[in-house]
Amino acid sequence: MKVLVPVKRVIDYNIKVRVRADGSGVDLDNAKMAMNPFDEIAVEEAVRLKEAGQVSEIVAVSCGIAACQETLRAALALGADRAVLVNTDVELQPLAVAKLLKGLCEREQPALVICGKQAIDDDSNQTGQMLAALLDCGQATFASKVKVEGGSVIVTREVDGGLETLSLELPAVITTDLRLNEPRYATLPNIMKAKKKLLDTLTPADLGVDVAPRLKTLKVVEPPIRKAGEIVPDIATLVSKLKNQAKVI
Ligand code: AMP
């Protein structure tokens, strides 16, 4: 069984994001970039399924600029077998990514696609769902447990008030939640081995996809600066301030 894992290159989650002076977006100049954390979880899950003998091949794919190769090498170091870069300088929106992934699924015929639930840069939470719709296959979002059983995958999802368990026929699309697993760190020997693994490059045209943006960003602004807090001497003053000044109790 083959698994496709889409991995996105995003600004590192430890970096404090700065908005460009002209309000056109986030300033990525010289910013540290990394694999989207939910995609690390997706790679880890695929590797665990392979270690359990349920998966034969893991293909990592990233869509974007040439630098996404670093993200793919990171996925290869974590255990993916080979990688595909869909190379474009166009800023990709979720629908474009979903169409590219659909094109790749038609070529690769994976039984399972494991996406992250959302990319931490655009917070769209759309690509996996759109891909499942385009492929006309089952989807289970926000997976916290995944089990492959014959021709199906059993997925547990955390929902309000409990756990929901779904059974999907393969092929299917899953998106990962934070609690699915704890990704491993890449070891130095695996980082070295990853340099020798196959990394193919395609273009959107190879997959017959028009990636032109459908949405226009009008403005990006910094959140308002929070006012400094105040230290109160005792609880009575706190209660009085909450009642008379803030008027919240
Ligand atoms: P989003 O819908 O943008 O929040 O992204 C959800 C998931 O789709 C991510 O966690 C990735 O697994 C996948 N994805 C989104 N954009 C890309 C991209 N440019 N390349 C590869 N995978 C992507």
Side-chain angles (χ1 to χ4, degrees):
M1 170 170 135
K2 191 193 281 187
V3 177
L4 192 79
V5 186
V7 292
K8 187 175 186 187
R9 177 178 183 266
V10 297
I11 194 161
D12 188 284
Y13 71 94
N14 291 304
I15 301 287
K16 188 172 178 325
V17 171
R18 280 190 324 260
V19 171
R20 278 192 218 119
D22 63 2
S24 61
V26 168
D27 186 0
L28 296 180
D29 288 348
N30 304 318
K32 184 169 178 256
M33 305 297 282
M35 189 188 301
N36 183 43
F38 293 107
D39 304 350
E40 282 183 359
I41 295 173
V43 175
E44 175 67 29
E45 197 60 23
V47 173
R48 290 187 189 190
L49 289 172
K50 191 173 175 201
E51 286 169 347
Q54 289 171 312
V55 162
S56 51
E57 188 181 29
I58 302 167
V59 182
V61 51
S62 195
C63 309
I65 59 173
C68 295
Q69 288 180 37
E70 290 163 22
T71 317
L72 289 170
R73 290 285 170 212
L76 293 168
L78 290 172
D81 296 293
R82 63 186 172 86
V84 181
L85 168 69
V86 184
N87 191 199
T88 173
D89 290 340
V90 176
E91 201 169 309
L92 295 172
Q93 292 174 351
L95 181 59
V97 177
K99 288 180 183 171
L100 294 172
L101 295 176
K102 179 190 181 229
L104 210 56
C105 285
E106 281 162 359
R107 285 185 172 216
E108 296 280 349
Q109 300 288 323
L112 195 59
V113 180
I114 312 182
C115 292
K117 76 167 175 183
Q118 75 192 58
I120 60 161
D121 52 358
D122 59 20
D123 279 339
S124 292
N125 175 248
Q126 294 175 3
T127 308
Q129 294 90 323
M130 286 176 168
L131 173 64
L134 293 174
L135 290 172
D136 195 19
C137 71
Q139 61 171 295
T141 52
F142 305 169
S144 61
K145 198 168 162 207
V146 171
K147 210 164 125 207
V148 176
E149 268 181 19
S152 308
V153 58
I154 315 293
V155 178
T156 306
R157 315 174 60 237
E158 285 175 18
V159 292
D160 268 359
L163 297 174
E164 179 184 49
T165 306
L166 300 177
S167 169
L168 313 179
E169 250 177 54
L170 297 172
V173 177
I174 293 176
T175 75
T176 60
D177 210 341
L178 203 59
R179 271 181 285 276
L180 179 58
N181 61 48
E182 208 172 298
R184 69 196 66 188
Y185 288 100
T187 61
L188 193 56
N190 285 346
I191 294 172
M192 301 312 287
K193 272 189 221 154
K195 292 183 202 263
K196 295 205 181 106
K197 292 187 181 174
L198 186 66
L199 194 161
D200 284 324
T201 301
L202 297 174
T203 65
D206 293 332
L207 298 167
V209 176
D210 169 14
V211 292
R214 303 288 199 270
L215 309 170
K216 192 171 151 204
T217 302
L218 299 181
K219 198 164 69 167
V220 178
V221 292
E222 302 259 4
I225 296 169
R226 279 179 59 182
K227 286 198 211 117
E230 186 186 338
I231 296 175
V232 289
D234 50 41
I235 292 175
T237 318
L238 174 67
V239 172
S240 148
K241 278 183 182 284
L242 289 174
K243 210 179 221 171
N244 305 317
Q245 226 169 293
K247 298 196 186 335
V248 290
I249 55 172

